[in-house]
Amino acid sequence: MAQRARSRNDLKPRALALHSVASAADLGATAVYEDAAYYSKAYRNRRRDVEYYVALALRCKGPVLEYGVGNGRVALAAAQAGATVVGVDHSASMLDDFKTKLQQQPREVQRRVRLKKGDMRRTRLKQRFNLVIAPFNVVLHLYSQMDVEEFFARVREHLTPHGRLVFDFSLPRVAELTVDPKKTYGSPRFRHPTHGGIVKYKERFEYDSLRQILLCRMEFTPVDGSPAWEVPLTHRQFFPEEMRALLRHNGFTWQQWTADFSDHAPDADTDSIVISCATKPPRIHA
């Protein structure tokens, strides 16, 4: 199914009060994924994590389950390399874009991918996997303790006895969580793939310290004078020892932590923490 072409009228201002953020159905968890073309443009140079997860998938015996498969940034590369991937995502726009990309691939690549629209906290596939992955901050859309417990329960249901979950998340930094929510941070102008024109881009950040939720307001202002719009993005901020305890509480007693898609241990300069975990020690450690 081809994704419907989006017009300028689809890009409308979005408003989100931080106090309204409560679950993965909120605007801040979905809005950024409605525009697959912009998402692809924004993250086209993010490759290190793709290479990392593709290598894991190729070492895995059998298919890989990817939560937050989106429009295939990781999964398509894995399928092209020879791995079989089952992808789950809540965004119809991203999945439609992925299907369009798959139509342009050889049949053997298409056969290696199966997609399922669904909530990662509740979707059941009646299949077990040696490897489950959740790349690029997928877990940061788990805003409450119940969200976390439901997600980890689904992961356990889909893992083989010695299978493992591998995911990454950005390390919270206090300096970034205490910025003035009225202050904007800009970047160079660029041509927006959906709007079609040149836009100015700015970000503003607001942090709810009680629920540990960071709201990023992405502001797009066309230079041709057409209406500006805002896209909100909300991320739960997990601190390392908190995540370690959550994993153990949810049955993942074996854990291996590394930094920035490498074999190095995390330190104060780490950007993304990568966790490989299992309910039992894996037979083969990658």
Side-chain angles (χ1 to χ4, degrees), residues 135-153:
F136 197 16
N137 291 329
V138 165
V139 297
L140 299 191
H141 290 307
L142 301 171
Y143 301 122
S144 69
Q145 180 178 333
M146 182 176 292
D147 290 339
V148 172
E149 292 183 351
E150 288 180 337
F151 172 65
F152 285 144

Side-chain angles (χ1 to χ4, degrees), residues 70-88:
N71 62 348
R73 192 176 64 88
V74 173
L76 182 56
Q80 290 170 334
T84 300
V85 182
V86 177
V88 174

Side-chain angles (χ1 to χ4, degrees), residues 237-251:
Q237 302 297 288
F238 289 104
F239 293 89
E241 288 305 306
E242 173 190 16
M243 179 59 75
R244 194 184 302 276
L246 284 169
L247 285 167
R248 181 167 290 275
H249 174 71
N250 284 279

Side-chain angles (χ1 to χ4, degrees), residues 116-130:
K116 174 73 173 180
K117 184 182 183 302
D119 189 318
M120 62 184 177
R121 299 167 300 176
R122 300 184 180 93
T123 299
R124 287 182 164 91
L125 300 172
K126 298 181 181 180
Q127 183 178 356
R128 290 185 178 267
F129 303 82
N130 291 326

Side-chain angles (χ1 to χ4, degrees), residues 50 253 262:
V50 175
T253 55
S262 71

Side-chain angles (χ1 to χ4, degrees), residues 65-70 86-89 119-121 123 125 132-135 138 151 154-155 158 165:
L65 171 58
E66 180 182 349
Y67 285 109
V69 71
V86 177
V88 174
D89 203 282
D119 189 318
M120 62 184 177
R121 299 167 300 176
T123 299
L125 300 172
V132 175
I133 63 175
V138 165
F151 172 65
R154 296 294 80 71
V155 172
H158 291 107
L165 164 67

